[in-house]
Amino acid sequence: MLDILWYALSFVVTLGILVAFHEFGHFWVARRCGVKVLTFSIGFGRPLWQRQAKDGTVYQVSVIPLGGYVRMLDERVDDVPDALKSVSFNAQSVYKRFAIVAAGPIANFVLAVAVLWLMFGMGVPTVKPVVGEVEPGSIAAEAGIQSGSEILYVDDVEAYDWQQVQLGLMSAIGNEQATIKLRTSDQQEVSRTLNIENWTFDPETESTFGSLGISVYQPEVYTALARVEADSPASRAGLQEGDEILEIDGRAIDNWRSLQQQIAESPGTSLDMLILRNGEKTTIPVKIGERDTENGVIGYLGVAPKTDPLPDGYIYNHQYGLFSGLSKGIEKTWELMVVSVKMIGKLLTGDVSVKNLAGPLSIAEGAGVSASNGFVYFLSFLALLSVNLGIINLLPLPVLDGGHLMFYCIEWFKGKPVSERVQDICYRIGGVLVFALMALAISNDIIRFAF
């Protein structure tokens, strides 16, 4: 229940920020173009909060947090006195109307740059994309990718972490090949070509790189104990740092994962552990503790294993200075814009399944999870959504900003506006298409969370 409330709150905050910036773009440029703004609203429906400024503009927050709007004086919907006709939206030149409408999506791109600038200024805890195991017979294995190599680029996307690797591979979906630039364990830079013509993957159950046969590097984990927690089941039984667990109830323990599994499956039970201590084997009875989790009660021991040291620089803080951070924010925003446009194109061509469309439930979950992981991860998610909102609004569908811009371009070329009748028909068609996309995204959410 708490997770649901947290996701809902994160969703409202995220959408509120995105909508506020988008509508402020329209609002700010409209004011600069001399258009009278009647209402600036975050959300739809009945106002929860409302204030009227001295210039007559009403600012409000409404009950339905799924969008917002800027209502401008317009002779097509308002009775405008002669004295105010010059400040109505429809009386402006096509260039001013174009600028006012385009300002919304542009504001989302500016927000993405600002958010990423802040994120890179704060620094992002990052793990280098070092390849762990490569699955035999996989696409990665056939391309000659070796364990221990660091991924530098996926096509033209710089891969400074696994999220960037994911981004680069997603933009390559539908292509016949993808080129990966690597730095091998002996510090040689090489390129490998992945044959992805028949590559498919399920984003619900696996990562892009995982479906290619690539796993994230993990240091070798041993069954010897590096740490024993105070007042834990292990310490009460007499286990010590340096003990190597060989068997549990007569069952050989070959790796740490099998040890974890047996402990988790034995809450509240007593187990005999054969250990190696100072070169001598001894058996110690251990009463396994109990811990409540979302999946029920599991056993716990209270120990940590010895592991191999991580490679130098494997974990680092991805951080930039004031001006270099701004440059990186612009670069990253452009990268996200390019990938978003590619993905929309691949949805239209069928290279990407419409099952990948995410609705409000998925967005709420993403907002909640990213916020739980830390502020910088929430900023990254916010930037991605802001770019996507800007791109989607530029689609040439009449009910979106892009549809209005399309009409203005036609007006500019023809020298006269598109007829009201044609616009009305286009708005109806566009409304049906947008509604169908929303229904599809919501149905994907329902299937994703209910089954």
Side-chain angles (χ1 to χ4, degrees), residues 355-388:
K355 292 180 180 180
N356 294 321
L357 284 174
L361 295 180
S362 294
I363 295 172
E365 181 188 38
V369 170
S370 61
S372 298
N373 289 337
F375 185 57
V376 292
Y377 299 103
F378 175 72
L379 292 177
S380 177
F381 183 76
L382 183 64
L384 175 63
L385 282 187
S386 191
V387 167
N388 276 274

Side-chain angles (χ1 to χ4, degrees), residues 29 97 127 149 187 205 213 226 264 315 349 356 409 422 426 443:
V29 175
R97 282 179 280 140
V127 175
S149 300
Q187 302 303 302
T205 59
I315 299 176
T349 59
N356 294 321
C409 287
V422 171
C426 290
S443 66

